Every structure is written in C-alpha cells, then in structure tokens.
C-alpha cells in the first residue's frame, strides 16, 4: 500500500510540473500569436497597398476611358502610386518590385487621358458645334485632369493650354460674327452731330449732306425704349439677327447692346465656373485662366464700343447702355462671378464721358440759339421746350432706378439753360400779356411731360411748378386789368392810405367811386365773358385754361370784397352809391355760372 501511495504521490507531482510547463508554453504561444497578428496587420496593409491586381492592369490597358470601371481603377492607381511614394520615403525594399509596373500603368493612363481630353477639345472646333455639350461631358471626368496635375504636370499644362487657345478662338469668332450681324439690324436713322436740342427745325444743312432725321424730336423722346432695362427684357432671350432681317425688324442701339452683352454675361458666367471646376483653380489663377479665354473677345468688344460711342449723338441710347451695364454688373455680383468686373468698369469709363459730352453739346446748342432766327413765333409751347421736356423726363425716369449724382448736375445745367431760352423767346413778344401766355404755355407743357414719367418730388417738377405759379399769378392781374383795372387801382390806393392813416384824402373821391360802382355793376358780366373767351383762345391746355379762369374769378371776388371793405371806411360810408354795390354772395353765385365745365 505504501509503495502504491508513494507512486501516486510522485505521479501527482509530475502532473503539477507538466501543468506548469503547459501553462508556460500557452503564454509563449499567446505572445507569438499576438506578434504574428500585429505583423500580419502591418504587412497585409503594406501588401494590399503595393500589390497591383490583374484587374487593374487589364482595365487600365484595355477599357475605354469613358467607362465607369476605368475611372474606378484610375482612382485605385492614384492611391497606389501615392502609397508607393510614401513607402519609398520610408525605405521599404518591396517598393522596387512594383515601381516599374506602376510607372508603366501611369504612362498608359496619362496617354489615354491626354488623347481623350484633346479629342474633346478638338470637337469644339467643328463648325456649328454647341461647345457646351462637350464641356459638360468633360466635367464628368474632372478627375482625369486632377490625375494629370498630380502625376504628369507637363501633359496637364499641354491640355490646359490647348483648351484655352481653342476656346479663345471660338469665343472671338462667335462674338465677332454675332456683333457684325447684329449691327445690320440697327435703325438706319441715327442721331448725328447736328441733331441737337437747340437746332431750329428749319435749319439749312450743307448742300451735300443727307437729309436730317424725318423728325428730330424722336431723338429726345423715350417712348418704349425704357423697356430694355425692365425685368422682362433685360434678361430676355438674345436677338437673332437673321430672323430680324427676314421679318425686316429694326432695333435701336441699346437693344443690340443689351443682347450682345447678355450673351457675353451668360457665356462668361458659364466659362468662369467651368474653369474653376475643371482646372481646380480659384481667385487670381481662375481670373488669369478666364482672361486667357475671353481676353481677345473683351478687347474686340471694347474696340467696337469705342468706335460706335465716339460717333454717337443719341444721348438716351448711351444713358440706357450705362444702366444696362449697371444692372448686368449687379446680376454677376449676385451670381458671385467677378470675371468681367474690369470690363464693365472700362465700358462705364467710356460711356459716362460720352453721355456728358452729348449733354453739354445740347446745353451749348440751347445757349447759342438766337430767338430771332426761329422764324414765326406764336404763344403756343415751343418745339425746343418740348424736346427738353421729353428728354429730361426720359433721363429722370431712367435715373430714378439707379440714382447718379453726375446726371442730376448736368440736368440742372440743362434746365437753367432752357429757362433762360424761354425767357429770351418771350422777350421777342411786344406785349407783356403775350409774353406771359407764352411762358405759361411752355412751363405747363414741360410740367405735364415731366410728371408723366418722373416722380412728383423731382427737382425739375418743383422748379417749373414755382415758375408756372408765379407767371400765372402775374397773368391773372393782366387779365383783370382791362375790365376791372380802375377798381383794383382804387382798392390798392385806399388800402395804402388807410395803412398810413390818411383816410381824409378819400373825401374828394365821390365822383370816382360812383363811377366805379356803377361801371362794375353794368359791365362785369360782359367783362368776365370776354376774359373767359380770351383765356380759352390763348392756352393750348384746356385744363390749364380752366385753372387760370378759376384763379381770375376768385381773384376778382377777392378784389370786390376788398372794395366793399374800402367803401365801409369812414369818409365813404355815408355815400348814397353804397346801396348800389352788388352783394358779395350774389356775385359769387353769378360768377360760378361762368366757371367753364369740361
């Protein structure tokens, strides 16, 4: 038994030794496993990055670049090339095994991409091509250019230069032919240097000069031309010259300008955004690329505009062009495209001085007009003041939308000259009454035209309103003088004496007062009738005529009321003729019957 138990004991002790050994082996195996797993993780990542699968090789070599598979494998190739560069930097020996094949694949991919992009660019050159379609196709493959830029800069530069050169020629030829064809549908009759505001309609021209515009007044009238800066037309479809020629439609210059520049605006926005997107540029470099594409076109536009503007005497056209530019500039700012800001500024620097120059010529022409050379004058509104009114209201109504100080200053000068001109012409009439009729007719007509288009608060409206009121008041006094001058003079004398406290002087006036009272009672109806007839003959505007008659009748009642007051003063109170005065209310009722009704 003892022997058996002791063998048990020795077996047990050997088992515990074995367990301990197994435990140690297990720990060692665990460490080895962990180490191998760590190495495998690192190595498999490295191997994955370095191994070039057969799918990639066959796709890059054989698949057309337009297929999705090629694009995916190109992304993979890009990642592998970058990974190998990184490992080579860490001196990983395995990189040498794959460097050669990657280099060959890269060369093949670059060659295929170059050929594809250049082919697309060459397709722009075919006549009648809508280049926007291949452009949009290129945008789908913008990674191609990114790949070239990363791995083969010289090819990327070649592709980019080819694109810039091709597009520059396309835009130049497109806009050149479009501009030439557009100018053929302009109105044949345009303003010339003799078509100024102060030029007499009868002015003789040189023997060989062509006949003037059929109606010089159309140069100064806005008509429907203002619609070119309205919402619907400003961004409306561009004009198609050959359809206009077929249907024999003609346009003023500002419509052609709008069409030409809206086409430029649209193409510039699209081109700028394409360049930023495809060639991966922003800010200064993007503007440089844009100028390489559009520079020649913009220079051609500026040359064309300079040639046209230097010989343009149609100030409304120039002013509308300025406002079209201001609006287009705002549209591009809204679209966040700064591409042609400098071009807009160059245009404005060309248009503003011309507008000012033509306005100054008009101001001068009015200054130099000699009323004695204007032929027969009558008291109706003069054609020169009508031109001014039409022109001023046109400019003010356009200027309200984008107010500009320089315009207002020049309009102020023009207005002052026209006011002087009206006074100079009025001085040609012999009687003061005719002068006043002429002044009132002209001021009234100018006011009417200005208020149709301009806002009522405008400086011009206010100025002419004051002049009209002052002259109307003076005219009313002139009107009342023939029939009621004696009474008015007496009222003014008596009121002056009363103010100075010298009423005693009125004592000897009994005969004069009696004559005045009886004279008024006997003749006032006929005098009022004659006054109404006279006014209606003198004024072209019925509304103005009725206002003047009403003003005159009101003034008459006021004078007669003052006459009543004078008759109630101490020295005249006791005169028996006072009983013959017409009751003021009765007079008002009677006078109302004479109010003209239209």
């Amino acid at each position: 038994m003892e022997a058996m138990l002791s063998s048990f004991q020795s077996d047990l002790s050997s088992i515990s030794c074995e367990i301990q050994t197994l435990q140690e082996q297990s720990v060692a195996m665990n460490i080895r496993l962990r180490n191998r797993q760590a190495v495998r993780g690192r190595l498999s990542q490295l191997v994955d990055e370095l191994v070039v699968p057969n799918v990639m090789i066959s796709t890059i070599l054989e698949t057309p670049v337009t297929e999705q598979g090629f694009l995916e494998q190109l992304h993979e190739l890009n990642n592998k090339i970058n990974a190998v560069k990184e490992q080579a930097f860490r001196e990983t020996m395995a990189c040498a095994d794959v460097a050669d094949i990657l280099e060959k694949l890269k060369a093949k991919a670059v060659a295929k991409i170059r050929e594809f992009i250049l082919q697309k660019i060459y397709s722009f050159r075919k006549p009648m091509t809508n280049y926007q379609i291949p452009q949009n196709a290129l945008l789908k493959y913008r990674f191609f250019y990114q790949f070239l830029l990363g791995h083969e800069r010289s090819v990327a530069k070649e592709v980019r230069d080819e694109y810039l050169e091709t597009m520059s020629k396309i835009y130049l030829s497109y806009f050149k032919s479009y501009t030439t064809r557009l100018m053929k549908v302009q109105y044949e009759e345009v303003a010339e240097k003799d078509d100024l505001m102060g030029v007499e309609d009868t002015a003789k021209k040189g023997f060989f000069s062509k006949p003037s515009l059929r109606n010089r007044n159309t140069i100064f009238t806005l008509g429907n031309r203002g619609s070119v800066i309205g919402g619907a037309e400003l961004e409306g479809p561009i004009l198609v010259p050959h359809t206009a020629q077929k249907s024999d439609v003609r346009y003023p210059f500002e419509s052609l300008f709008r069409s030409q520049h809206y086409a430029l605006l649209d193409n510039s926005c699209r081109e700028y955004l394409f360049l930023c997107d495809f060639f991966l540029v922003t800010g200064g470099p993007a503007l440089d690329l844009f100028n390489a594409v559009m520079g020649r076109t913009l220079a051609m536009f500026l040359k064309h505009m300079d040639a046209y503007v230097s010989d343009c005497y149609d100030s409304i056209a120039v002013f509308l062009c300025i406002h079209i530019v201001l609006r287009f500039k705002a549209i591009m700012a809204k679209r966040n495209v700064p591409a042609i800001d400098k071009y807009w500024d160059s245009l404005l620097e060309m248009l503003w001085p011309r507008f000012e120059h033509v306005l100054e010529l008009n101001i001068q022409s009015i200054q130099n007009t000699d009323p004695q050379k204007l032929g027969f004058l009558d008291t109706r509104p003069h054609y020169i003041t009508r031109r001014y009114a039409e022109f001023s209201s046109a400019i003010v109504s356009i200027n309200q939308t984008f107010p500009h100080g320089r315009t207002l200053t020049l309009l102020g000068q023009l207005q002052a000259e026209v006011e002087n001109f009206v006074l100079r012409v009025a001085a040609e009439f012999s009687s003061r009454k005719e002068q006043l009729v002429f002044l009132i007719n002209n001021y009234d007509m100018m006011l009417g035209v200005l208020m149709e288009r301009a806002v009522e608060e405008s400086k011009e409206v206010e100025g002419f309103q004051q002049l009209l009121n002052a002259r109307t008041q003076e005219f009313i006094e002139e009107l009342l003088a023939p029939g009621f001058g004696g009474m008015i003079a007496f009222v003014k004398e008596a009121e002056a004496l009363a103010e100075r406290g010298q009423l005693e002087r009125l004592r000897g006036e009994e005969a004069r007062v009696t004559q005045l009272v009886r004279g008024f009672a006997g003749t006032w109806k006929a005098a009022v009738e004659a006054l109404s007839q006279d006014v209606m003959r003198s004024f072209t505007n019925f509304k103005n005529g009725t206002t003047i008659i009403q003003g005159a009748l009101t003034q008459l009642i006021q004078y007669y009321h003052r006459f009543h007051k004078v008759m109630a003063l101490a020295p005249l109170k006791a005169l028996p003729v006072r009983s013959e005065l017409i009751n003021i209310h009765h007079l008002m009722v009677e006078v109302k019957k004479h109010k003209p009704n239209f």
Side-chain angles (χ1 to χ4, degrees):
M1 282 290 282
E2 190 181 347
M4 192 174 74
L5 283 170
S6 60
S7 73
F8 259 150
Q9 193 178 4
S10 66
D11 282 353
L12 278 171
S13 65
S14 70
I15 283 174
S16 80
C17 280
E18 275 175 36
I19 287 171
Q20 212 169 350
T21 314
L22 281 171
Q23 205 172 0
E24 282 164 7
Q25 279 175 343
S26 162
V27 167
M29 278 168 77
N30 220 354
I31 289 168
R32 279 207 303 281
L33 177 69
R34 264 211 308 276
N35 286 346
R36 280 182 186 185
Q37 276 176 339
V39 168
R40 181 186 160 197
R42 288 281 185 85
L43 269 180
S44 67
Q45 189 186 340
L46 180 69
V47 169
D48 277 353
E49 281 175 358
L50 295 183
V51 166
V52 180
N54 285 335
V55 179
M56 180 188 285
I57 297 171
S58 62
T59 307
I60 296 284
L61 292 180
E62 292 155 20
T63 310
V65 293
T66 48
E67 285 187 18
Q68 185 61 27
F70 181 85
L71 192 59
E72 285 167 8
Q73 291 305 330
L74 190 69
H75 274 285
E76 278 299 306
L77 177 62
N78 187 43
N79 294 339
K80 284 201 186 302
I81 293 172
N82 292 337
V84 166
K85 276 183 189 165
E86 197 182 318
Q87 292 304 335
F89 183 67
R90 293 180 185 167
E91 297 177 359
T92 308
M93 304 298 285
C95 291
D97 299 347
V98 289
D100 188 42
I101 191 160
L102 283 177
E103 196 56 40
K104 285 176 181 167
L105 280 178
K106 182 179 84 175
K108 182 68 179 170
V110 165
K112 283 174 84 169
I113 289 171
R114 174 182 174 275
E115 190 185 347
F116 168 73
I117 296 180
L118 288 179
Q119 224 171 5
K120 279 278 180 227
I121 293 171
Y122 295 147
S123 73
F124 293 179
R125 297 178 181 178
K126 288 177 193 156
M128 307 300 287
T129 303
N130 180 354
Y131 54 84
Q132 288 161 18
I133 295 168
Q135 248 186 357
N136 292 339
L138 273 179
L139 277 180
K140 284 189 209 159
Y141 305 107
R142 59 169 76 82
F143 180 70
F144 287 0
Y145 182 77
Q146 196 177 333
F147 184 83
L148 292 180
L149 205 56
H151 304 297
E152 201 62 68
R153 292 231 152 189
S154 59
V155 175
K157 185 177 183 310
E158 180 197 359
V159 163
R160 194 185 67 198
D161 291 351
E162 193 61 47
Y163 174 82
L164 299 180
E165 182 61 23
T166 301
M167 287 313 287
S168 173
K169 284 176 180 166
I170 287 172
Y171 280 127
L172 182 64
S173 77
Y174 164 70
F175 278 112
K176 210 173 197 170
S177 73
Y178 182 59
T179 304
T180 313
R181 295 205 313 274
L182 256 191
M183 294 314 285
K184 286 178 183 165
V185 295
Q186 188 186 356
Y187 280 133
E188 284 163 6
E189 289 192 336
V190 289
E192 292 170 15
K193 63 176 181 292
D194 293 324
D195 296 316
L196 296 172
M197 207 175 282
V199 175
E200 307 91 79
D201 266 352
T202 52
K204 298 277 186 291
K205 287 189 157 194
F207 184 71
F208 294 107
S209 62
K210 57 183 188 184
S212 174
L213 279 182
R214 280 197 299 275
N215 184 356
R216 197 175 267 130
N217 294 339
T218 52
I219 308 163
F220 306 105
T221 314
L222 187 61
N224 304 327
R225 292 169 73 180
S227 61
V228 78
I229 53 172
E233 209 175 306
L234 185 69
E235 295 185 66
I238 61 171
L239 302 176
V240 183
H242 63 264
T243 28
Q245 272 176 315
K246 267 184 200 165
S247 49
D248 205 27
V249 183
R250 296 285 167 151
Y251 296 95
F253 178 72
E254 65 274 6
S255 291
L256 310 181
F257 178 88
R258 185 224 52 106
S259 185
Q260 185 190 24
H261 283 82
Y262 191 60
L264 176 72
L265 176 146
D266 232 17
N267 283 291
S268 296
C269 286
R270 188 182 290 106
E271 191 57 38
Y272 180 77
L273 296 172
F274 173 83
L275 291 170
C276 292
D277 213 355
F278 188 78
F279 292 109
L280 312 166
V281 282
T282 50
L287 287 175
D288 292 344
L289 284 190
F290 179 82
N291 288 331
V293 172
M294 292 299 254
R296 283 151 78 185
T297 303
L298 296 177
M300 182 271 294
F301 265 22
L302 282 175
K303 196 174 167 190
H304 162 75
M305 281 305 297
D306 193 35
Y308 177 83
V309 168
S310 60
D311 196 34
C312 172
Y313 291 90
D314 183 349
S315 41
I316 291 184
V318 177
F319 197 57
L320 281 168
C321 290
I322 289 172
H323 276 266
I324 290 168
V325 171
L326 293 172
R327 281 163 173 70
F328 281 170
K329 208 175 167 187
I331 290 172
M332 289 195 78
K334 209 191 247 175
R335 292 185 188 180
N336 205 11
V337 176
I340 52 174
D341 284 357
K342 279 187 182 154
Y343 171 73
W344 295 133
D345 293 339
S346 307
L347 263 188
L348 290 174
E349 279 163 25
M350 194 185 290
L351 292 165
W352 270 119
R354 186 64 193 175
F355 174 66
E356 288 171 9
H357 175 65
V358 178
L359 249 186
E360 278 158 11
L361 287 179
N362 278 308
I363 292 171
Q364 244 167 354
S365 76
I366 290 178
Q367 253 172 1
N368 301 340
T369 304
D370 180 357
Q372 291 175 342
K373 288 184 185 166
L374 290 175
F376 172 70
L377 289 174
D378 61 18
T379 55
R380 287 181 309 207
H382 197 274
Y383 56 82
I384 291 182
T385 53
R386 173 162 287 284
R387 286 176 195 167
Y388 160 75
E390 291 285 358
F391 177 75
S392 185
S393 67
I395 299 298
V396 169
S397 65
I398 300 167
N399 197 49
Q400 278 163 8
T401 50
F402 253 91
H404 202 280
R406 265 149 90 180
T407 317
L408 296 174
T409 316
L410 283 167
L411 278 182
Q413 287 174 14
L414 183 62
Q415 184 183 344
E417 278 314 317
V418 169
E419 284 172 20
N420 288 340
F421 165 75
V422 174
L423 293 173
R424 285 207 309 275
V425 178
E428 294 294 307
F429 293 100
S430 49
S431 76
R432 181 61 184 156
K433 193 170 161 194
E434 278 185 319
Q435 292 179 0
L436 289 169
V437 170
F438 176 77
L439 291 172
I440 291 170
N441 270 330
N442 278 284
Y443 293 150
D444 178 58
M445 180 274 299
M446 291 194 270
L447 255 183
V449 175
L450 280 167
M451 283 168 79
E452 240 174 78
R453 289 193 183 277
V455 284
E456 287 187 19
E457 297 84 66
S458 79
K459 208 168 72 193
E460 288 79 4
V461 170
E462 206 178 299
F464 285 120
Q465 192 69 62
Q466 286 170 358
L467 288 169
L468 179 65
N469 294 346
R471 293 293 161 259
T472 305
Q473 207 43 51
E474 192 181 337
F475 180 71
I476 286 173
E477 295 290 336
E478 288 279 334
L479 255 189
L480 295 173
F484 310 103
M487 177 186 81
I488 292 168
F490 176 71
V491 166
K492 286 179 177 169
E493 273 173 44
E495 283 174 349
L497 289 171
E499 234 176 86
R500 296 202 293 273
Q502 300 168 343
L503 284 175
E504 290 308 312
R505 288 195 183 180
L506 290 176
R507 290 208 182 279
E509 300 285 356
E510 189 175 335
R512 184 180 171 194
V513 169
T514 307
Q515 193 189 347
L516 285 177
V517 172
R518 288 183 181 150
F520 183 84
T523 62
W524 76 269
K525 282 187 181 173
V528 165
E529 194 54 52
L531 171 150
S532 298
Q533 296 294 325
D534 188 7
V535 169
M536 290 336 272
R537 273 197 308 276
S538 301
F539 296 102
T540 46
N541 178 354
F542 276 137
K543 193 166 164 239
N544 187 30
T546 50
T547 311
I548 289 174
I549 293 175
Q550 287 180 2
L553 297 178
T554 309
Q555 189 75 340
L556 174 64
I557 289 170
Q558 282 175 358
Y559 274 130
Y560 200 65
H561 187 55
R562 280 156 70 183
F563 187 52
H564 266 259
K565 281 186 176 169
V566 168
M567 294 296 287
L569 294 172
L572 308 173
K573 220 177 193 175
L575 293 180
V577 82
R578 269 195 71 201
S579 60
E580 292 176 40
L581 280 173
I582 301 170
N583 179 297
I584 198 84
H585 294 293
H586 174 65
L587 183 67
M588 283 161 102
V589 171
E590 285 295 316
V591 160
K592 265 188 190 159
K593 292 177 187 171
H594 285 271
K595 274 196 179 174
N597 297 310
F598 292 106

